[in-house]
Amino acid sequence: MREPLEPLQSWVEGANGPHGFGLNHLPYGAMRHQDTAHLCVRIGEMVLDLHAAAKDGLLDSLATEVQRACQQPVLNTLLALGSSAWIPLRELLTALLAEDSSGATKTRLDWFLHFVEHCEIVLPIAPRGYTDFYASIDHARRVGELFRPDAPLLPNYKHVPIAYNGRPSSVVAGGTAVRRPWGQTRPVGGAEQPGFEPAAALDYEAELAFVMGAGNELGSPIAIGEAREHVFGVALLNDWSARDIQAWEYQPLGPFLGKSFATSLSPWITPMAALEPFRVAARARAESDPLPLPYLADEGDEEEGALDIAIEVRISTMASRAAGLAPMLISHGNTRGLYWTAAQMVAHHTSNGCNLEPGDVLATGTVSGVERESAGCLLELTRNGTEPVTLPNGEERAWLQDGDEVTLAGWCERDGVAPVALEECVGRVWSSR
Ligand code: CA
């Protein structure tokens, strides 16, 4: 762990406090502006319009290409420039928004600050790739127990970071309603034909997404020791999953339509720089576990390659909202228990020469822990729908029903450091019946 840093104070009203969006955070988003979007950065309950600030000359001390990148509708151009672009940008924004900024600067910046509740926030990245890993060994083991009680973990698990290629076109900003998908399901009751109907076994998966920076050329793997600087930031991700569609289609090639109907990504990207104080040692491997192959092994990564991010899942239903209840907590996990680190995912993804591109999304897979209450999806919590959970308001759920709204929240805290809150990732299920 790094030494605690003095919490930074900002002159922006309401920016200093325990809300997790202080000057030490500064996540990036994009705000709808006429028929396009302006990149922006969040401070407390305010949003700084980066596009307008750059146009006004407030970013003039940065390289021209960085100023131009700030005037694009998505972060991809900035990400392509690499950390030598986004580190000075963050330093400048921190200085501009800091308490000791000059009066003249504050007056100029004030023009470009808006209340977040007055802005329509959209996804600040246009991912061309989305890969979903399976990095939680506790998730892998608990899911494995449901289907292969004798050998829950497959023999490859501790050697290779398992993943599938997801669908970037259906990655949507958190807050977007999620349509219950129709799909083929296993024939039941002696039927000859499979069904084709709205998925009955709709589930969520609580995950952390890593957003890639410059990426790599096709044919040039990223070494594990360099992988960290290739990751720009993180956001919460909900990998919605239709278990009944998935169960019928996944053999032999893996998930397809059971997952590609929607993936919700929180629209504020937290830069890795804001998470430095919350780096922790990678999960220790058991003595009996195999050592990772050399291309997945790095001392620095073992020492601080994991992140201490608590993740909570809350649910609200039509009934709970009608009763005026706040969203109800159903599970809570932490990314520090993952078996594979972000650097290992990047190194593995590119180890065959595959190219990662700016804005690509690499997700951890469901974040679960050893305890049942830290299970990050209903598949685990309800043992594949056979043991429904009772919600705090008395309702039962085996799977999600229409009108259910799932909220993922992420939180980092540590003594002596201002906390960082990951923007919530919200999605409500609607039916197309
Ligand atoms: Ca997943």
Side-chain angles (χ1 to χ4, degrees):
M1 267 195 183
R2 306 291 172 90
E3 285 305 303
L5 307 165
E6 275 296 305
L8 300 166
Q9 300 291 309
S10 171
W11 56 268
V12 177
E13 203 180 327
N16 308 311
H19 43 58
F21 288 98
L23 189 53
N24 58 319
H25 187 181
L26 301 184
Y28 292 92
M31 53 200 277
R32 181 88 66 200
H33 185 88
Q34 294 163 358
D35 57 353
T36 180
H38 279 186
L39 290 175
C40 54
V41 67
R42 173 134 172 220
I43 173 92
E45 286 307 304
M46 306 301 284
V47 170
L48 174 64
D49 182 338
L50 273 186
H51 180 115
K55 221 167 178 177
D56 190 67
L58 278 155
L59 310 183
D60 272 0
S61 61
L62 299 174
T64 313
E65 57 187 6
V66 180
Q67 296 175 47
R68 286 203 188 117
C70 289
Q71 295 171 65
Q72 298 294 317
V74 287
L75 287 165
N76 292 46
T77 308
L78 179 72
L79 302 183
L81 295 173
S83 57
S84 63
W86 70 63
I87 290 174
L89 171 61
R90 181 175 165 84
E91 285 171 356
L92 175 60
L93 292 172
T94 305
L96 291 172
L97 295 166
E99 213 166 34
D100 57 1
S101 192
S102 78
T105 301
K106 292 174 187 173
T107 307
R108 275 174 81 187
L109 273 173
D110 225 12
W111 284 98
F112 311 120
L113 282 167
H114 308 276
F115 282 102
V116 65
E117 66 194 53
H118 296 165
C119 302
E120 185 189 347
I121 304 299
V122 296
L123 269 191
I125 53 170
R128 296 219 310 160
Y130 159 45
T131 308
D132 198 17
F133 282 83
Y134 202 52
S136 165
I137 194 170
D138 300 309
H139 170 67
R141 195 178 274 129
R142 207 181 282 105
V143 170
E145 278 166 4
L146 293 171
F147 303 106
R148 297 175 304 275
D150 298 336
L153 270 192
L154 291 168
N156 57 4
Y157 188 85
K158 293 176 179 174
H159 296 280
V160 54
I162 301 293
Y164 70 94
N165 282 308
R167 180 77 195 167
S169 68
S170 52
V171 173
V172 297
T176 307
V178 172
R179 171 185 178 269
R180 181 181 296 273
W182 287 61
Q184 272 201 36
T185 51
R186 195 187 300 282
V188 289
E192 277 183 22
Q193 293 277 68
F196 184 80
E197 57 208 351
L202 188 59
D203 201 356
Y204 60 84
E205 291 188 339
E207 309 196 8
L208 185 69
F210 298 100
V211 175
M212 292 301 299
N216 59 307
E217 292 293 322
L218 186 66
S220 302
I222 297 173
I224 180 128
E226 291 157 18
R228 187 192 289 188
E229 70 187 70
H230 281 267
V231 181
F232 169 74
V234 306
L236 292 167
L237 179 143
N238 185 339
D239 178 28
W240 303 93
S241 300
R243 303 300 183 193
D244 41 359
I245 298 174
Q246 192 183 352
W248 174 235
E249 73 172 3
Y250 86 103
Q251 286 173 319
L253 284 183
F256 183 39
L257 302 182
K259 286 180 178 274
S260 62
F261 56 94
T263 306
S264 300
L265 182 66
S266 157
W268 287 102
I269 313 293
T270 295
M272 293 310 289
L275 297 174
E276 282 299 315
F278 309 105
R279 285 192 169 279
V280 290
R283 177 179 178 137
R285 291 191 165 218
E287 292 236 335
S288 54
D289 282 1
L291 288 175
L293 289 178
Y295 80 96
L296 293 173
D298 179 75
E299 213 170 295
D301 192 48
E302 278 168 43
E303 282 167 13
E304 50 176 22
L307 294 167
D308 183 4
I309 303 176
I311 296 182
E312 289 182 353
V313 182
R314 292 177 190 271
I315 188 166
S316 77
T317 68
M318 282 196 262
S320 77
R321 290 190 297 272
L325 298 175
M328 303 169 284
L329 180 70
I330 48 174
S331 73
H332 52 91
N334 192 302
T335 56
R336 66 186 301 164
L338 298 177
Y339 197 77
W340 299 104
T341 65
Q344 286 173 316
M345 293 178 212
V346 170
H348 182 65
H349 203 313
T350 61
S351 61
N352 67 344
C354 174
N355 51 330
L356 291 173
E357 298 188 315
D360 276 3
V361 171
L362 271 55
T364 55
T366 308
V367 176
S368 295
V370 179
E371 304 82 19
R372 183 92 173 260
E373 58 267 25
S374 61
C377 60
L378 288 175
L379 175 67
E380 292 176 64
L381 282 173
T382 68
R383 299 187 59 82
N384 198 17
T386 61
E387 297 173 17
V389 287
T390 304
L391 303 177
N393 69 339
E395 284 184 274
E396 286 199 340
R397 284 292 182 277
W399 305 110
L400 295 172
Q401 295 187 5
D402 293 338
D404 286 356
E405 183 174 275
V406 177
T407 300
L408 311 180
W411 185 254
C412 305
E413 65 181 354
R414 184 183 157 200
D415 285 348
V417 180
V420 167
L422 303 194
E423 175 67 6
E424 291 182 346
C425 180
V426 184
R428 189 181 293 187
V429 178
W430 67 280
S431 171
S432 56
R433 264 184 200 276

